[in-house]
Amino acid sequence: MTTARTAPTAPSAPTAGTAGSAGTAHTADTAHAARTADASGVARIALVGDRSPHVMSHTRIPLLLDALAARDGLVLDACWIPTGDAAAEAAAGTLARFDAVWVLPGSPYASEAGALAAIRVAREEGIPFLGTCGGFQHTLLEYARSVCGLDDVAHAENDPGARDLLIAPLACSLVGHEGLVRAEPGSLAEAALGAERSMERYHCNYGPAPLHLPALTAHGLRLSGHDEDGQARIAELPGHPFFLATLFQPELQGDTARPHPIIRALAAAAARHAAGRRRNGVGAGVGAGLAATPAASRSAG
């Protein structure tokens, strides 16, 4: 079964256990976790976020990972990385050794810079990526700053006094809201959802302001899913093996026994990444020639 760990801590080997033991997560140094997964051949995923028992999505993740293994045979070795450690892990090259990166909800993040660094590594190294809620917001922010040159755009939750907001307070809160999302035909979003339309759950107070969205799309980011009012709710990066961000939280759907199609799609992409790494005899995170490809954003939910 899947082992959920928190990193970084003591460099001792992880204790065997399942992702269901989320309340007392097994701990391991992030680099050790990467080496262990290398040896086992299991796909590993970095869960980037400030883990809290008060964030519902965080409590559901271990159960979803176990369900992926039981239902779909998609076994992921999961390692939790606090945003406060993510920038250092990115700089050390450790994040690039994972087979997937998931930037989770839970705003405001302890480190905006850490969340952005994790997104940038996944984008530039061709590592399968998912950002949900706050991960979606920060994906847009990272892309705007790193790719579009919009250095001064900000997130209202992190910098409420900023004059140039990319992520702004929503006119109507989406906390506890459920709504229809339409995916563009032929998009990764449509393929991952398995349908053009889907009812999705939200838990956020912030979303993208429209002013700079044309600049993001002009630089290659695709806003591939919208709500019934035409507001952007999904973003993806064409040309990347798997790069998807959603303002809604797919981890909140259902009873955890049947993971959301987007989560299953991420797990499948991670498995493909791990298989390719083993087939080519190289470590995870070897550049996929995407360093010059458009980026993604940030914020919390």
Side-chain angles (χ1 to χ4, degrees), residues 38-284:
D38 266 337
S40 69
V42 172
R44 66 268 172 132
I45 182 171
L47 302 174
V48 179
D50 304 311
R51 192 176 191 184
S52 169
H54 305 296
V55 177
M56 184 181 296
S57 67
H58 294 185
T59 66
R60 291 168 65 93
I61 295 295
L63 302 175
L64 291 169
L65 294 177
D66 278 346
L68 285 169
R71 287 180 52 86
D72 303 296
L74 295 168
V75 181
L76 299 180
D77 185 63
C79 183
W80 288 78
I81 301 178
T83 60
D85 298 326
E89 299 293 352
T94 307
L95 271 174
R97 298 186 61 197
F98 284 88
D99 296 303
V101 173
W102 186 351
V103 177
L104 294 161
S107 65
Y109 294 137
S111 172
E112 175 183 284
L116 298 182
I119 294 165
R120 184 166 187 167
V121 167
R123 175 178 61 80
E124 293 185 338
E125 298 291 340
I127 299 169
F129 171 80
L130 179 62
T132 55
C133 199
F136 169 88
Q137 298 159 14
H138 283 73
T139 294
L140 298 185
L141 190 64
E142 192 276 328
Y143 203 82
R145 292 179 179 176
S146 299
V147 176
C148 304
L150 300 174
D151 297 336
D152 296 329
V153 295
H155 188 306
E157 187 174 35
N158 301 334
D159 190 0
R163 291 186 298 177
D164 194 5
L165 293 176
L166 179 68
I167 305 299
L170 294 167
C172 296
S173 171
L174 290 177
V175 173
H177 176 75
E178 187 174 44
L180 184 69
V181 174
R182 297 178 185 271
E184 291 186 356
S187 64
L188 173 62
E190 183 188 45
L193 287 169
E196 183 183 342
R197 306 194 313 167
S198 178
M199 289 296 296
E200 301 294 346
R201 294 186 63 186
Y202 297 83
H203 195 83
C204 60
N205 290 307
Y206 297 86
L211 176 62
H212 293 302
L213 294 185
L216 300 185
T217 58
H219 283 81
L221 193 70
R222 183 177 185 183
L223 301 176
S224 56
H226 299 79
D227 67 10
E228 292 183 284
D229 295 324
Q231 301 299 309
R233 296 296 180 249
I234 308 175
E236 62 186 68
L237 188 58
H240 191 285
F242 187 98
F243 193 97
L244 198 63
T246 69
L247 187 62
F248 56 85
Q249 294 189 28
E251 61 272 17
L252 295 183
Q253 186 187 79
D255 60 1
T256 73
R258 298 173 61 87
H260 189 285
I262 284 178
I263 296 174
R264 288 160 52 202
L266 174 69
R272 291 193 298 271
H273 188 273
R277 171 172 46 82
R278 292 192 297 271
R279 183 170 59 251
N280 295 328
V282 297

